[in-house]
Every structure is written in structure tokens, then in C-alpha cells.
Amino acid sequence: MNLEEWKSQIKRGTLEFCILLLIQRKPRYGYELISQLERWPMVATKESTIYPLLRRLLKEGCLDSFWQETTQGLPPRKYYSMTQQGRAYLEEMSAQWRELSQAIAAMEQGGDEDDGQAVE
């Protein structure tokens, strides 16, 4: 496996988490999410990736959507907001992310030595 393929796998596995993190703060529309994600090249994505993911999260009950008129005379935008089910899912994802991050940090610091602590 090359580095680009590895990065693609990481992105694929974390993009849903990143989208939910952004939407939890305030309702957002698709292009706004794409623009926000571009701030972090590791998770930057395209319309062909984000819209199917948003549709799936809607179908699964993690998100709601609503249309809102714009003030600039542009067509209405479809905004996505977090549901209670989405918030619960995000909380679970955050807990798993912290656990994974802690495990990796421990390994980076030489945590592979048997120090008598249980490993789950």
C-alpha cells in the first residue's frame, strides 16, 4: 500500500465524523461543508462524495434538512441540521475517536512495552 492509498482510506473512514462535527455547531448547506473541509487538505472532498453521504445520514435519521431562501437573490439552499439521533451517534463516534487517538499516542511513545497494564 502506498501513502496516497493509506491517506484515502483514512479520509474515507473519518469524513462522516468530520461532517457531523461541523453540522453539530450550526446547520450547514452542502457547498458550505465542502468549503469548510477544504481548510484541512486531509479531509477535503468533492460534491460527488459529500452529497451521497449527506443523503445517507438523512436516511439513517442522523440529519434533518430544510430549504432556506438566500438574501443575495440566489436559489434556495438545502441546509442540514443534527437530530437527537445524530447527536447520540456523534457522541459515540467521539468516544471511539478519543480511544483510538490515545492508543496511537501511546504506541508512538513506546507503549508497546509490557508495563503490566491491561490492553483491551
Side-chain angles (χ1 to χ4, degrees), residues 49-96:
T49 300
I50 200 163
Y51 288 108
L53 181 53
L54 289 168
R55 281 192 298 273
R56 182 174 59 76
L57 290 168
L58 275 168
K59 185 178 177 183
E60 292 175 355
C62 292
L63 298 177
D64 277 330
S65 66
F66 60 92
W67 290 93
Q68 185 170 326
E69 296 290 328
T70 63
T71 57
Q72 298 99 353
L74 299 170
R77 292 180 174 147
K78 186 175 187 176
Y79 280 79
Y80 299 88
S81 62
M82 188 85 68
T83 63
Q84 282 303 109
Q85 182 176 332
R87 289 187 193 291
Y89 182 47
L90 181 57
E91 284 179 29
E92 292 175 20
M93 292 175 86
S94 293
Q96 292 296 309

Side-chain angles (χ1 to χ4, degrees), residues 39-51:
R39 296 174 53 200
W40 302 280
M42 187 69 176
V43 292
T45 192
K46 298 179 178 165
E47 291 178 25
S48 60
T49 300
I50 200 163
Y51 288 108

